[in-house]
Amino acid sequence: MTNTKSVDKAINLDDPKYYFNRELSWLEFNRRVLAEALDKRTPLLERLKFMAIFSSNLDEFFMVRVAALKKQMAAEVTKLSMDGRNPQQQLEAITETLTPMIEQQHQHFEKVLKKELTKSGVYLLNYVDLNQEQRTYINQFFEDYIFPVLTPLAVDPSHPFPYISNLSLNLAVVLKDPFLEQELFARVKIPQVLPRFVTFPAELSQKHRGKDEIWTGVPIEQIVTHNLEYLFSGMNILESYAFRVTRNADLSVEEDEADDLLLAIEKELQKRRIGGSSVRLEIEASIPAELRSTIIQELALEESDVYDVDGLLSLGDLMSFLGLPLPELKDEPWKSVLPPRLSWLKENEEEESGEGQNFFNVIRHGDLFIHHPYHSFSNTVLRFITEAAYDPDVLAIKMTLYRTSGDSPILKALIAAAQNNKQVVVLVELKARFDEENNILWARKLEKSGVHVVYGVTGLKTHTKITLVVRQEKEKIRRYVHIGTGNYNPKTAKIYTDLGLLSCREELGADLTDLFNFLTGYSRQKSYRKLLVAPVSLRGRMIEMIDREAENCRQGKTGRIVAKMNSLVDQQIIQALYKASQAGVEIDLIIRGICCLCPGKSEISDNIRVISIIGRFLEHSRIFYFHNNGKEEIYIGSADWMTRNLSRRVEAVTPIESPEIFKDLQEILGVMLADNRKAWELQPDGSFVQRKPKKDEETRSTHDTFMEMALQSAGISPN
């Protein structure tokens, strides 16, 4: 065993070489997303989906993370990242890392995926490849549907360079006035209100080896390009090139100075629509150098901000192909099942009546564990809230809403509860990035319906996922709780993996009461009975439990930690894990995205292993297991081990005390650690290597395994 005292003295854990850069680690996560698009084992349309996700992820990365680094540079911030880079060095590293990835993405789409689509009867054609009949149809379509929407904008001394809106697709058009013999420049914005890919009617479809087409279409920007004469009558069209701009889209609200947070957020959203400074330019690689330089200069960008694209821009639009009627080219549809205890309830609810068939009765008989999307969200969480809304014995409902769908049945249930004279309190997080506008809309709708809406604690973002239901039962008031890892969103609950606990344990009910008093009033609760709450106690308690494992090892006992989360960034947590590894604690981390910890480094992290699982569902749940010298503890909740979660957000993590649920969570961790199909292992140099089944070894894929387990628990035979 390592002599920890000498190691602690000899090794400086603040040394930048022991940390990966946060931004570069995120790019490695997105590289794993791209790998799913390149993997021939992934169904074809799912590969297009991952192509689209890769692009959409990058859009948000530039709008937020790159924009933040640029603002730091403008403010001459000199603070270094954990890995010792200043903002300029981070931006340079981002460009160096990302340029070949983007080139690989576009080459694979143009040279591989488009050909495979053709073999399956899906023809994404270029305008130049259309036959005469198809051109006639497309040109008429342009006149009828596209032309009326377009607005060409000239650029000359009396017409300054137009504002280019965020993420819009544009054409840079070079024209020549035949009378003045003068070259002119104009910009045409491709309308986002029309489909990106225009579909041909069946009679104009392609044929391939006698097989009828499923879909034939052409990109809208190519249609506009070949009909520019309609926009510039009397001019000679010399050339045109597509380009796309990404802008800073982060909000900046001084909460202390905002009398009305909702109005302040609305004003910031208006600024976002107008747009912040440019942070990225994507442009056709064939554009002439002079025109390219003009656009770069007008957008106040540097050469390093430009990404040349050989092929279609804005591949996030490929997501639309998932709507094609080609089930053989997609993952098999998954229909969530009921947890076994609720399956019994469904079978018997028509035979029995009264309190015995009440959803709350199920919870009173023991904590209920839910694992989405394997377990149904609608028939568990939504049912819990809906029954509470209509149950005459329910007195109050309190919940936090971070992200939800605009048409969510949860909102309807909360409105119904208020109309049924229940006390309904909803904390709406207006600062949930890119959901601010949606949150404002339904916050107002809730308020108009009599729901008490609050916007959280000044200076903190409320990220916790909790619901408290207060119910009158005979002579007693009982509190029911839901504590989860994911948003109350029925749509994302079908594609995100998340966990939830439904319980009526008195201590949890009391803790949630105190937490809601903190969120809605002036309470400054400093301790909780069971919950670990950020920013009050979560970081300190997590570090205590990590240190406890280390101390057990120093005393010759066993030390073991398994933690699953989205991201690991917090330096204090990382250093505690390094010290635990030095003491001999065996540590397995399952981290979907960013990981700033370096595993497998001699005398630092020899005992730490990190894997990432990327597949058909987005891994979103958080689980924390500690061996505790045989008195094992396990927790679930809303927080990652990131500084923002531990210091600048309200989070709640709950211990699991039910032996059955404890075993379920251990099994979940075990399945993921054994994955040899979708798991990637983080290497000491920051790269990832995908696991492969060994010879004669059975393939173990996390999401497939959990789907099979869910079907078996529901008594359904897998196909």
Side-chain angles (χ1 to χ4, degrees):
M1 184 176 294
T2 307
N3 186 325
T4 58
K5 291 184 179 180
S6 61
V7 168
D8 288 345
K9 289 180 181 179
I11 297 177
N12 175 18
L13 292 182
D14 291 325
D15 193 320
K17 68 183 178 182
Y18 298 131
Y19 301 91
F20 294 132
N21 180 267
R22 173 193 168 131
E23 317 306 342
L24 300 183
S25 180
W26 185 92
L27 290 180
E28 290 304 316
F29 154 68
N30 214 29
R31 190 194 300 275
R32 299 192 293 280
V33 173
L34 179 59
E36 287 293 307
L38 308 178
D39 194 331
K40 293 181 179 180
R41 297 172 295 178
T42 305
L44 180 57
L45 294 186
E46 303 293 339
R47 295 171 70 183
L48 289 184
K49 176 189 77 175
F50 283 108
M51 277 269 171
I53 293 172
F54 175 84
S55 293
S56 299
N57 284 350
L58 278 182
D59 289 345
E60 186 171 330
F61 177 74
F62 274 91
M63 287 189 286
V64 178
R65 301 304 306 177
V66 172
L69 288 171
K70 283 182 167 290
K71 286 174 72 174
Q72 289 177 33
M73 280 187 58
E76 299 183 350
V77 172
T78 57
K79 183 179 179 181
L80 302 182
S81 59
M82 279 193 292
D83 67 319
R85 302 177 200 243
N86 63 35
Q88 175 67 39
Q89 291 170 326
Q90 292 182 73
L91 287 170
E92 291 171 355
I94 287 169
T95 300
E96 183 181 351
T97 303
L98 196 51
T99 299
M101 289 171 63
I102 291 174
E103 182 179 350
Q104 181 184 30
Q105 178 202 21
H106 285 275
Q107 283 190 354
H108 190 80
F109 174 70
E110 295 292 336
K111 297 180 179 180
V112 178
L113 293 185
K114 283 181 72 173
K115 291 181 180 179
E116 292 190 23
L117 285 169
T118 297
K119 294 176 184 177
S120 299
V122 177
Y123 297 84
L124 179 56
L125 304 176
N126 293 316
Y127 186 93
V128 295
D129 298 325
L130 302 181
N131 60 39
Q132 191 54 52
E133 275 188 297
Q134 291 170 330
R135 290 192 182 199
T136 300
Y137 171 82
I138 282 296
N139 293 342
Q140 189 62 51
F141 183 91
F142 173 85
E143 286 190 53
D144 294 342
Y145 298 101
I146 303 176
F147 176 67
V149 185
L150 298 176
T151 304
L153 295 175
V155 180
D156 56 35
S158 61
H159 297 90
F161 193 86
Y163 178 81
I164 310 298
S165 54
N166 186 34
L167 302 183
S168 63
L169 190 58
N170 306 270
L171 295 177
V173 184
V174 181
L175 319 101
K176 191 169 187 179
D177 188 324
F179 298 105
L180 299 178
E181 291 294 317
Q182 178 184 4
E183 283 194 7
L184 304 170
F185 174 73
R187 173 258 190 161
V188 178
K189 180 179 178 179
I190 303 300
Q192 293 173 303
V193 294
L194 296 174
R196 172 69 189 284
F197 305 109
V198 176
T199 304
F200 286 105
E203 61 269 19
L204 295 177
S205 65
Q206 297 290 110
K207 299 283 183 181
H208 183 76
R209 296 180 183 176
K211 181 179 179 179
D212 288 345
E213 59 85 40
I214 300 298
W215 181 90
T216 302
V218 65
I220 191 172
E221 67 271 22
Q222 294 186 14
I223 300 173
V224 176
T225 296
H226 288 86
N227 285 278
L228 286 171
E229 65 272 12
Y230 286 88
L231 296 170
F232 304 100
S233 179
M235 294 287 178
N236 295 327
I237 311 297
L238 301 182
E239 54 195 0
S240 70
Y241 303 92
F243 69 98
R244 185 173 183 259
V245 176
T246 310
R247 293 183 175 276
N248 177 0
D250 214 8
L251 297 183
S252 178
V253 177
E254 295 295 333
E255 294 182 56
D256 291 335
E257 300 175 8
D259 294 330
D260 189 323
L261 184 58
L262 187 143
L263 292 176
I265 296 285
E266 279 191 315
K267 289 180 181 178
E268 284 297 314
L269 285 172
Q270 290 172 0
K271 293 179 185 178
R272 178 192 282 175
R273 291 190 198 99
I274 296 171
S277 57
S278 305
V279 295
R280 174 180 62 162
L281 171 65
E282 299 166 276
I283 198 162
E284 275 192 58
S286 58
I287 191 170
E290 185 177 351
L291 180 55
R292 185 177 186 274
S293 297
T294 298
I295 297 174
I296 294 172
Q297 183 177 353
E298 292 290 349
L299 293 171
L301 291 170
E302 304 291 335
E303 183 63 38
S304 58
D305 301 317
V306 183
Y307 292 85
D308 297 309
V309 175
D310 188 8
L312 289 179
L313 276 69
S314 192
L315 292 186
D317 294 326
L318 295 176
M319 189 67 78
S320 62
F321 284 95
L322 270 186
L324 292 176
L326 289 166
E328 69 276 13
L329 300 182
K330 306 177 194 178
D331 289 328
E332 287 189 26
W334 169 249
K335 186 176 181 181
S336 302
V337 302
L338 285 171
R341 284 172 58 203
L342 290 185
S343 298
W344 175 87
L345 174 63
K346 185 176 181 180
E347 291 169 3
N348 293 275
E349 61 188 0
E350 294 180 1
E351 300 175 12
E352 300 181 21
S353 60
E355 188 181 27
Q357 289 314 303
N358 175 300
F359 194 85
F360 299 103
N361 188 46
V362 177
I363 302 172
R364 275 199 306 279
H365 281 81
D367 292 353
L368 182 64
F369 173 64
I370 312 160
H371 190 190
H372 308 298
Y374 313 105
H375 293 151
S376 167
F377 179 87
S378 297
N379 291 314
T380 54
V381 178
L382 177 56
R383 178 171 178 174
F384 171 63
I385 296 167
T386 302
E387 286 202 16
Y390 291 96
D391 189 321
D393 294 326
V394 168
L395 306 177
I397 302 173
K398 301 181 182 184
M399 72 182 301
T400 58
L401 287 175
Y402 187 73
R403 302 184 196 274
T404 190
S405 56
D407 58 348
S408 173
I410 287 178
L411 302 181
K412 296 175 183 177
L414 294 171
I415 290 170
Q419 292 171 344
N420 290 333
N421 297 318
K422 302 183 190 306
Q423 177 83 1
V424 183
V425 179
V426 177
L427 186 140
V428 175
E429 180 46 74
L430 295 180
K431 303 182 294 296
R433 186 176 285 139
F434 301 118
D435 268 352
E436 302 96 341
E437 190 166 6
N438 182 48
N439 288 7
I440 286 172
L441 289 173
W442 48 257
R444 286 205 163 118
K445 188 173 183 180
L446 289 170
E447 283 180 325
K448 288 178 181 178
S449 303
V451 175
H452 298 289
V453 179
V454 294
Y455 304 117
V457 182
T458 300
L460 299 174
K461 186 178 285 189
T462 303
H463 188 250
T464 183
K465 328 295 184 182
I466 53 175
T467 300
L468 173 66
V469 172
V470 181
R471 191 169 186 262
Q472 178 74 55
E473 296 179 357
K474 297 180 180 179
E475 301 300 320
K476 181 179 181 180
I477 295 287
R478 194 187 300 270
R479 289 173 287 202
Y480 295 84
V481 306
H482 173 263
I483 303 170
T485 69
N487 301 311
Y488 291 108
N489 188 322
K491 293 181 179 178
T492 57
K494 295 178 181 178
I495 54 175
Y496 288 19
T497 72
D498 272 304
L499 306 170
L501 175 72
L502 284 160
S503 176
C504 62
R505 292 181 186 268
E506 290 188 10
E507 289 176 306
L508 288 179
D511 274 352
L512 255 62
T513 299
D514 290 341
L515 182 52
F516 273 108
N517 288 339
F518 167 66
L519 294 172
T520 63
Y522 289 113
S523 169
R524 291 295 179 263
Q525 190 77 15
K526 294 297 183 183
S527 63
Y528 293 85
R529 300 155 188 84
K530 293 291 183 180
L531 290 183
L532 307 183
V533 175
V536 178
S537 60
L538 181 55
R539 174 193 271 110
R541 183 60 182 148
M542 285 290 176
I543 291 176
E544 283 177 9
M545 290 189 287
I546 295 169
D547 291 346
R548 182 181 63 192
E549 297 298 317
E551 184 58 32
N552 284 337
C553 278
R554 294 186 187 104
Q555 295 177 10
K557 303 171 186 176
T558 299
R560 180 86 170 106
I561 297 171
V562 184
K564 178 186 183 299
M565 67 202 80
N566 296 334
S567 298
L568 171 56
V569 174
D570 187 76
Q571 190 169 15
Q572 291 182 47
I573 294 281
I574 293 173
Q575 291 188 354
L577 291 169
Y578 282 158
K579 292 175 183 177
S581 174
Q582 292 171 345
V585 180
E586 293 294 330
I587 303 170
D588 280 289
L589 304 174
I590 306 166
I591 302 174
R592 184 194 78 214
I594 304 166
C595 180
C596 295
L597 175 149
C598 302
K601 284 194 175 291
S602 177
E603 297 188 325
I604 294 291
S605 54
D606 311 69
N607 297 313
I608 304 178
R609 297 160 294 277
V610 180
I611 65 168
S612 172
I613 292 177
I614 305 293
R616 68 177 290 176
F617 301 128
L618 180 79
E619 285 299 327
H620 193 253
S621 56
R622 291 91 167 180
I623 309 172
F624 308 98
Y625 166 86
F626 302 91
H627 182 258
N628 190 23
N629 195 31
K631 298 177 182 178
E632 301 167 299
E633 295 182 17
I634 202 161
Y635 298 79
I636 65 169
S638 57
D640 293 314
W641 281 346
M642 300 180 74
T643 304
R644 70 182 189 190
N645 295 89
L646 302 172
S647 298
R648 301 191 300 274
R649 290 185 172 187
V650 179
E651 307 275 12
V653 172
T654 182
I656 298 300
E657 298 182 340
S658 161
E660 294 79 9
I661 299 176
F662 199 107
K663 290 178 182 177
D664 288 339
L665 289 169
Q666 284 184 306
E667 186 172 34
I668 288 171
L669 294 174
V671 166
M672 302 188 85
L673 292 176
D675 189 303
N676 60 12
R677 170 66 181 88
K678 295 294 185 179
W680 296 74
E681 296 178 348
L682 177 57
Q683 306 301 303
D685 65 356
S687 64
F688 280 81
V689 176
Q690 190 171 30
R691 285 180 180 171
K692 296 179 181 179
K694 298 176 182 177
K695 187 177 180 181
D696 299 325
E697 184 180 33
E698 182 181 355
T699 300
R700 298 184 297 271
S701 176
T702 292
H703 300 149
D704 290 344
T705 300
F706 288 141
M707 286 189 288
E708 291 173 8
M709 289 169 58
L711 291 175
Q712 289 172 3
S713 70
I716 303 171
S717 299
N719 294 332

